[in-house]
Amino acid sequence: MILHAETALLPQGWAQDVRIRIEHGRIAEVTAGVPGRGHGAILPAPVNLHSHTFQRAMAGMTEGRTAGQDSFWTWRALMYRFLERLSPEDVQAIAAQAMVEMAESGFAAVCEFHYLHHPVGGGTYADPAEMSGRVAAAAAETGLGLTHLPVIYEQGGVDGRALAGGQLRFGSGPEVFARVLDGAGRALAGLPDAVLGVAPHSLRAVSRATLGRVAGMTAGPVHIHIAEQVAEVVEVQAAWGARPVDWACANLPLDARWCLIHATQMTPAETAALARTGAVAGLCPVTEANLGDGIFDGPGWLAAGGAFGVGTDSNVRISLPEELRLLEYSQRFAQKARAVMADHRSTGRLLWEEAATGGARAAGRASGRIAVGQWADVLALDTADLRLEGLAGDQLLDACLFAGRDGLVTDLWSAGRHIVQHGRHIARAAVEARFRATLRRLRDSL
Ligand code: ZN
């Protein structure tokens, strides 16, 4: 397959009249200066590095104040109630819809931080990896690249208290989790570009003994929720005598295989120390804003040479441009300054390139750059759109992120699969109809 673009963002910068040859899902050749007809602008399509797809079905349902001061913890209460109703079929229907929306917004792949393993009340399905199989089936159906991260969830808090209520669907002892991980590996067998990793849920939900073993469980990436909420920082500090990121830097073998999700509560020293490990900061600005988590220290992270990517986490809204825009705007509010996440590159260019390469690193996926040997994860922009008229180079990306509308992606290829065409995912109609039926039934039963 051959793609042609008037302009494309290559690792060495913007190039004109670019011809990209794709073979077996990978980029086989990139040549600039070859006039031809095709797309206006082609960019590397980033990985969505953090998602819980099932939460897409709760979007918009937790914006009221339920008891006094609403907070993260009341959101979590609704999430648990909602969980009591989800069947494996529901999980697949919701995941497929979320993946369709991710592709349409510009993501070529997703890291699914998957913790819903078991039936209501605990125990296991006949196939302990039933739910992983459902996520893999949604990826197969939508063609979105998948890094699957089965989650280890062992306890209800840092004190080791037992799991209760909705948490029983997440929890596994070591033997059961080994079977989940094994089955998840088999479920991915039909997906040529899929990656299996592992995700200890958080410092509060996994024992220190298990944390010591996670890096050896797969050859793939390791993701963990870290330092999202102030209450969590206080809890870890009281129990273990160190703030979460300090503790992680001192006790976990952090390196480029690791992705620390949120990392919103860090001191300047923690920010610099964590950046130096090579671990990716997994930022989810829309969800972090929605949950009132706080603001990541962007300038401190960049100054220390840290890698980052973005994720849609709770999927309250699935939009790659909005994640990147809000990441920058939150910095502007905090710093009272403009163009905070920019260097010699403009803000839009820095955000896009760093999110593409950081997201790929977090996913253990050979992508994020338009270069020979990489998976062909690329997208085409609608350069005929009025907001992009007459713009080129970095300003094209700036306008796309700061002035554009959603839906500027006309086409997207994930490992060469042409899954978005004319701005719509090719399976949208069928996936959406099934999702709508699922949503009606779930919302009626709440
Ligand atoms: Zn999360």
Side-chain angles (χ1 to χ4, degrees):
M1 179 170 52
I2 302 280
L3 305 182
H4 190 277
E6 286 167 31
T7 184
L9 184 57
L10 306 183
Q12 59 272 27
W14 293 98
Q16 311 312 316
D17 290 320
V18 177
R19 184 178 175 275
I20 301 167
R21 188 162 62 79
I22 298 169
E23 253 181 38
H24 309 299
R26 291 189 187 259
I27 296 171
E29 197 180 347
V30 183
T31 319
V34 187
R37 285 174 54 84
H39 301 279
I42 287 186
L43 307 171
V47 175
N48 176 358
L49 61 57
H50 188 66
S51 157
H52 314 284
T53 47
F54 77 85
Q55 294 179 13
R56 169 63 183 82
M58 296 165 51
M61 295 180 69
T62 60
E63 304 304 323
R65 237 183 226 210
T66 45
Q69 171 98 25
D70 197 15
S71 73
F72 173 81
W73 307 102
T74 56
W75 172 87
R76 213 173 69 152
L78 181 105
M79 196 257 286
Y80 285 151
R81 205 145 46 82
F82 183 77
L83 278 173
E84 300 284 321
R85 283 142 179 100
L86 287 180
S87 71
E89 292 75 19
D90 296 337
V91 165
Q92 184 175 339
I94 300 165
Q97 176 67 23
M99 290 176 180
V100 159
E101 295 177 7
M102 288 169 193
E104 288 177 355
S105 100
F107 292 114
V110 62
C111 298
E112 178 65 8
F113 196 105
H114 172 73
Y115 56 87
L116 185 56
H117 301 303
H118 304 306
V120 175
T124 60
Y125 288 106
D127 170 4
E130 165 83 33
M131 290 297 205
S132 286
R134 297 294 180 159
V135 173
E141 201 179 345
T142 59
L144 196 74
L146 176 65
T147 289
H148 189 56
L149 304 164
V151 171
I152 308 171
Y153 206 107
E154 294 179 328
Q155 59 195 32
V158 285
D159 55 2
R161 78 187 87 119
L163 299 174
Q167 294 170 333
L168 295 170
R169 298 198 74 176
F170 316 154
S172 309
E175 299 87 56
V176 170
F177 184 75
R179 288 164 62 208
V180 169
L181 196 59
D182 237 41
R186 281 193 298 277
L188 299 181
L191 304 171
D193 52 322
V195 174
L196 180 67
V198 69
H201 179 273
S202 56
L203 295 182
R204 62 177 191 274
V206 178
S207 72
R208 276 176 285 182
T210 301
L211 283 171
R213 289 197 304 271
V214 289
M217 290 181 182
T218 70
V222 185
H223 289 214
I224 183 169
H225 288 130
I226 197 113
E228 177 176 9
Q229 291 275 318
V230 173
E232 178 183 18
V233 176
V234 171
E235 191 184 354
V236 169
Q237 187 153 29
W240 300 353
R243 296 168 57 85
V245 172
D246 270 341
W247 190 88
C249 287
N251 294 280
L252 299 175
L254 300 181
D255 61 17
R257 270 179 69 203
W258 286 73
C259 179
L260 274 62
I261 306 299
H262 302 308
T264 38
Q265 313 296 334
M266 293 197 288
T267 63
E270 283 178 307
T271 302
L274 181 60
R276 281 196 297 270
T277 66
V280 178
L283 309 177
C284 310
V286 172
T287 296
E288 288 156 11
N290 187 269
L291 296 180
D293 286 345
I295 299 173
F296 177 75
D297 177 5
W301 188 255
L302 290 181
F308 71 85
V310 293
T312 58
D313 194 2
S314 70
N315 296 307
V316 60
R317 182 160 152 68
I318 295 174
S319 167
L320 170 60
E322 187 161 326
E323 296 292 351
L324 295 176
R325 182 165 61 241
L326 189 55
L327 174 54
E328 168 65 17
Y329 278 170
S330 62
Q331 305 300 316
R332 293 187 189 188
F333 278 128
Q335 308 285 327
K336 300 187 176 66
R338 299 192 69 252
V340 179
M341 304 285 277
D343 51 15
H344 62 282
R345 299 165 290 178
S346 72
T347 310
R349 165 106 175 267
L350 181 142
L351 289 170
W352 194 281
E353 288 189 324
E354 295 299 319
T357 53
R361 186 198 288 184
R365 184 174 175 88
S367 69
R369 295 177 305 125
I370 300 180
V372 172
Q374 302 276 294
W375 288 116
D377 286 0
V378 296
L379 62 80
L381 283 182
D382 181 9
T383 46
D385 189 273
L386 189 58
R387 309 284 174 111
L388 304 185
E389 181 62 39
L391 298 177
D394 287 10
Q395 284 189 331
L396 193 65
L397 270 176
D398 292 337
C400 178
L401 297 185
F402 292 98
R405 55 176 173 83
D406 273 17
L408 283 176
V409 174
T410 60
D411 297 83
L412 182 134
W413 295 261
S414 172
R417 297 176 294 267
H418 193 182
I419 56 176
V420 175
Q421 302 181 14
H422 310 293
R424 275 174 73 86
H425 189 283
I426 52 175
R428 180 176 256 282
V431 168
E432 189 181 286
R434 197 178 38 164
F435 175 67
R436 193 185 292 278
T438 303
L439 210 51
R440 285 211 176 112
R441 194 170 39 71
L442 285 172
R443 290 185 175 176
D444 284 351
S445 77
L446 271 178

